Amino acid sequence: MKKFLLFIGFLALFNPLKVFAADDTIDDQANLLTTEERAELSSQADAINQKIKGEVFILTTTDNTEEPRTFANEQLMARVGKNNNGALLLLDMTQREIYLSTSGNMIDYITDKRRDQLLDDVEAAMSAGDYYQASADYLTNAEQFVDDGIPSGSYRIDETTGKVTYYKSITGIELTIGLIIAAAAAIGFFFMVRLRYQLKIGTYRYPYRENAQLDLTERQDQLVNSFVTTRRIPRPAKNNGGGGGSTTNSSGGGTFGGGGRGF
């Protein structure tokens, strides 16, 4: 029995997948939530964590003296690692600010447009003093965004350099259509080759001497004149459609998305 326990402890120590207890997903340092509320929120967060292969969590504090974005990014990186999948909602009660920090695939799930929608809901609940509802709104929105998938045509834009990186994903419909087209092309090619080469090799000779014909003619081309026409090609109009973008920032060597506002 002792050896078995040692073996389990060894696996837990060296397991590359970081496992968190349910209570860890709600770090309520400001004591804004009841025990029952924390348990309910933890259960909701755990369901999202399974989907994103990462972690979403909530941190409330009355002790933070750093700029909320810097503090949130640091806390998220310390939690999930550099550029790994995760999202943190910081409720800073001292500075009266909400900040959402995202990392990894959550940057793409929560675009700027979706972020604003999430913060609208959280801000309304925080202004009303309903901290449980604010936390629940964060998780509900995050789960809905994950279920909806990464929007088509989404991209990341670095707030410092302005560099744009587009995200390309293949939907289930696109994959099905591609497989159908590939299968049809392969079958068509097979039958075409089979019909063209039904004769066995060695039993047929093409009478090229009788069917061949060669005509030689002499032709000279002389340039008389030339004209050059120029015209201005207008730039294409900007396309504001698609899934929208996610503005990113760098902190401590990691890349983060998100944003915040006061309440």
Side-chain angles (χ1 to χ4, degrees), residues 42-262:
S42 292
S43 178
Q44 188 176 358
D46 291 341
I48 304 173
N49 296 342
Q50 296 297 321
K51 297 177 182 180
I52 68 170
K53 307 302 180 186
E55 187 179 17
V56 297
F57 65 104
I58 298 169
L59 172 61
T60 72
T61 180
T62 57
D63 300 327
N64 175 44
T65 57
E66 294 184 73
E67 196 273 328
R69 181 170 83 169
T70 301
F71 181 70
N73 290 345
E74 290 174 350
Q75 294 298 312
L76 180 58
M77 184 184 295
R79 186 73 169 218
V80 303
K82 183 185 295 185
N83 299 328
N84 289 331
N85 305 332
L88 160 66
L89 177 68
L90 172 67
L91 303 180
D92 190 328
M93 303 305 294
T94 300
Q95 303 187 52
R96 305 292 294 179
E97 185 161 344
I98 308 161
Y99 196 87
L100 171 68
S101 178
T102 58
S103 176
N105 61 11
M106 291 303 288
I107 295 177
D108 303 304
Y109 281 122
I110 305 180
T111 62
D112 289 353
K113 184 177 180 179
R114 290 178 169 183
R115 173 205 64 199
D116 291 341
Q117 175 185 326
L118 183 153
L119 291 177
D120 285 344
D121 294 341
V122 174
E123 180 188 8
M126 289 296 292
S127 297
D130 193 341
Y131 307 125
Y132 170 76
Q133 188 60 51
S135 302
D137 285 342
Y138 155 64
L139 296 175
T140 300
N141 276 278
E143 185 170 21
Q144 184 63 57
F145 299 151
V146 172
D147 290 341
D148 290 343
I150 296 172
S152 175
S154 65
Y155 56 90
R156 296 184 183 186
I157 179 169
D158 189 292
E159 69 173 15
T160 302
T161 65
K163 179 181 178 181
V164 177
T165 304
Y166 285 92
Y167 181 94
K168 174 59 180 173
S169 62
I170 299 177
T171 65
I173 295 177
E174 292 174 334
L175 177 61
T176 302
I177 294 175
L179 291 175
I180 293 174
I181 294 175
I187 294 172
F189 179 77
F190 169 77
F191 283 106
M192 181 184 68
V193 173
R194 184 174 181 179
L195 291 173
R196 291 184 61 184
Y197 295 94
Q198 284 181 340
L199 297 175
K200 296 182 179 180
I201 297 176
T203 62
Y204 175 76
R205 291 291 186 271
Y206 179 75
Y208 65 91
R209 293 181 185 276
E210 293 80 2
N211 295 335
Q213 182 177 355
L214 177 63
D215 293 327
L216 296 177
T217 60
E218 182 179 354
R219 179 180 177 182
Q220 292 182 350
D221 295 328
Q222 185 174 4
L223 178 65
V224 177
N225 206 341
S226 64
F227 299 92
V228 178
T229 302
T230 61
R231 68 186 182 92
R232 182 177 181 181
I233 302 176
R235 294 184 179 181
K238 293 183 179 180
N239 181 13
N240 295 323
S246 300
T247 304
T248 62
N249 62 87
S250 299
S251 178
T255 300
F256 303 90
R261 62 181 62 170

